[in-house]
Amino acid sequence: MSISRRGLLAAGAGVGLLTACGSNTGRSQSGSGTQLSQWYHQYGEAGTQQAVERYAAAYKKARVAVQWRPGNYDQQTAAALLTDSGPDVFEGSPTLDQIQGGQVVDLTDLLDGVKDDFNPAVLKPKTYDGRIWGIPQTIDMQLLYYRKSLLKDAGVEPPTTVDALVDAARKLTTPKTKGLFLGNDGGAGVLGGTPLYAAGLQLITEDGEIGFDDPAAARVLTRIHQLYADKSLLLGAPADWSDPSAFLQGLTAMQWSGLWALPQVQKELGDDFGVLPFPKDGSGSPAVPVGAYGSAVSARSRHQEAAKEFVRWLWVDQLDDQEDFALSYGFHIPARMSLAKKATKLKTGAAADAVAFTTEHGFAQPLLWTPTANTAYQDALTRIIQGGADPDRELRALVRKVSAELARVKKKS
């Protein structure tokens, strides 16, 4: 199975365990010199594998063997971290259980002097108890695409509030074109906590408490259901939200998708499109969900210091390689804000807008938002959007479930 970086944003951070991961890990069992095994998930973007192999070959202080891992990568990695035959360095997002269980190495010192250059939205989920457990590689983000000509013909302004989004989607819906595409499930799968952040709320607060126990949460989710009830949403499209084909084929006037779709949209529509963050609701502000795999070191590695030194070399020092990785084989934002600012491909038009949205309004799923909490929230969101369930009742039940989960993880810390 070949997946792209967009998978970071399409689901929660749930990680299970496999009973085995295979024996070809890339670690040296004999011979002289330090050999490190570095794991990546199998990207769907041509040239990425050759690029990371080239980076590894250029490193002179150790022999780095790249392992390109097909299949359910997160499950493979979770299982491997419990053994002595897993990777030294791996691409991923260390989970709370992995950090609390001592399965990954503290990398805080690698960012001495450069920490402030990493986008804080994606560095935060790699941080626990004041320590950094993964170095962000690139940023993926979601945004709202809209067709300028269709909005102009309907006399609709690009929506900057949730109420305006609901009204615009209704006005843009015709017998041939729906107003908005949030995915074939009506948005329950992809939106996640985005509407809550747009309402000025959070999933988990900075001090580790529930951040959506507020009437504003019910209000904004009611408005999201209204999109479904108005039949303004495109459902049953040939491809889901991550693919811009529904937008390009004129099946929808607006679509929620990812930055990765921008080159294709620009190629086919020219200047006849614009991009926006998710609109604000009430006293909130626009919201932009972001995600980033990071580079981490296994606590089972026999060469932890050598592994850390390699991670520093590649993901802190090698700025040209970091920009190359982000923009030469797909369309992503470098995790370093200075690189994002100077990258030629991100300086103008919708790409520049996307970088600004990420810097000003970006948020990532909190580390304390566990798979259990995420599943409970997704189930509630589905019932609200598709079934018209009472948001107040659903949110009260959700608060109880998430409170119990927070108590569990805090007890382990």
Side-chain angles (χ1 to χ4, degrees):
M1 179 178 67
S2 177
I3 60 176
S4 74
R5 289 173 245 201
R6 70 194 63 171
L8 294 173
L9 292 162
V15 175
L17 296 179
L18 294 179
T19 56
C21 294
S23 58
N24 182 20
T25 66
R27 282 188 176 178
S28 176
Q29 301 301 318
S30 62
S32 60
T34 300
Q35 179 160 319
L36 301 175
S37 169
Q38 182 186 26
W39 282 17
Y40 289 88
H41 81 276
Q42 183 178 356
Y43 286 87
E45 298 160 341
T48 309
Q49 181 177 359
Q50 292 75 20
V52 299
E53 290 172 346
R54 186 174 68 250
Y55 308 152
Y59 189 62
K60 302 305 181 185
K61 293 185 178 181
R63 291 176 295 156
V64 181
V66 170
Q67 289 289 307
W68 203 246
R69 309 291 295 191
N72 193 322
Y73 177 79
D74 285 338
Q75 288 187 344
Q76 293 180 35
T77 305
L81 291 178
L82 300 174
T83 75
D84 291 328
S85 60
D88 298 289
V89 178
F90 67 96
E91 176 187 65
S93 295
T95 67
L96 185 61
D97 285 341
Q98 290 166 357
I99 295 169
Q100 291 178 331
Q103 297 172 30
V104 290
V105 174
D106 181 355
L107 304 181
T108 308
D109 60 308
L110 301 190
L111 295 192
D112 286 348
V114 297
K115 178 181 176 181
D116 290 345
D117 192 35
F118 281 80
N119 187 297
V122 291
L123 186 59
K124 188 180 297 183
K126 309 288 188 290
T127 305
Y128 178 69
D129 199 23
R131 313 302 294 173
I132 297 167
W133 304 93
I135 308 301
Q137 296 175 174
T138 63
I139 300 173
D140 276 324
M141 52 90 73
Q142 297 167 8
L143 67 171
L144 181 67
Y145 291 83
Y146 65 91
R147 190 78 172 262
K148 290 180 179 179
S149 58
L150 294 181
L151 268 66
K152 182 179 179 181
D153 290 347
V156 172
E157 292 294 322
T160 57
T161 68
V162 171
D163 284 343
L165 179 67
V166 174
D167 291 342
R170 186 186 305 116
K171 292 176 182 177
L172 290 164
T173 296
T174 71
K176 294 183 178 180
T177 302
K178 288 292 187 179
L180 177 62
F181 184 39
L182 296 175
N184 284 325
D185 62 357
V190 66
L191 287 181
T194 303
L196 302 180
Y197 283 85
L201 307 174
Q202 302 175 70
L203 293 171
I204 303 293
T205 66
E206 295 292 333
D207 56 359
E209 303 299 329
I210 291 174
F212 55 88
D213 191 5
D214 187 286
R219 173 193 148 76
V220 71
L221 295 185
T222 297
R223 301 303 286 153
I224 302 302
H225 165 67
Q226 192 63 48
L227 288 162
Y228 190 91
D230 286 346
K231 298 185 178 180
S232 301
L233 296 179
L234 174 64
L235 303 172
D240 215 339
W241 67 272
S242 62
D243 188 312
S245 57
F247 183 66
L248 297 175
Q249 294 168 13
L251 301 179
T252 181
M254 300 183 289
Q255 178 172 336
W256 187 250
S257 191
L259 179 65
W260 53 83
L262 196 149
Q264 184 180 356
V265 172
Q266 198 157 36
K267 179 181 179 181
E268 298 198 25
L269 296 184
D271 294 330
D272 189 21
F273 80 99
V275 294
L276 291 169
F278 194 86
K280 70 175 184 176
D281 187 60
S283 60
S285 61
V288 176
V290 300
Y293 261 150
S295 188
V297 173
S298 170
R300 294 267 190 163
S301 170
R302 295 189 295 272
H303 308 291
Q304 289 186 21
E305 290 306 313
K308 288 177 61 177
E309 191 170 355
F310 172 66
V311 171
R312 184 203 302 272
W313 175 84
L314 181 54
W315 296 113
V316 179
D317 298 338
Q318 298 299 109
L319 300 182
D320 288 345
D321 288 343
Q322 292 162 35
E323 183 175 344
D324 178 68
F325 185 72
L327 289 163
S328 295
Y329 318 100
F331 207 71
H332 314 273
I333 300 173
R336 302 282 289 273
M337 293 185 290
S338 59
L339 284 180
K341 185 176 181 179
K342 80 176 187 67
T344 301
K345 292 182 179 180
L346 300 175
K347 279 187 174 181
T348 59
D353 291 339
V355 173
F357 297 158
T358 300
T359 303
E360 296 169 15
H361 307 299
F363 76 91
Q365 189 165 281
L367 190 59
L368 286 174
W369 190 250
T370 66
T372 297
N374 190 67
T375 298
Y377 176 71
Q378 291 297 132
D379 290 345
L381 198 59
T382 298
R383 290 190 292 269
I384 292 168
I385 293 177
Q386 297 183 5
D390 178 23
D392 284 312
R393 184 177 66 249
E394 292 289 340
L395 288 166
R396 284 196 298 271
L398 182 64
V399 165
R400 291 193 294 271
K401 293 177 182 177
V402 175
S403 294
E405 179 66 359
L406 283 175
R408 181 189 70 82
V409 298
K410 290 178 180 179
K411 186 176 180 180
K412 293 175 62 177
S413 61

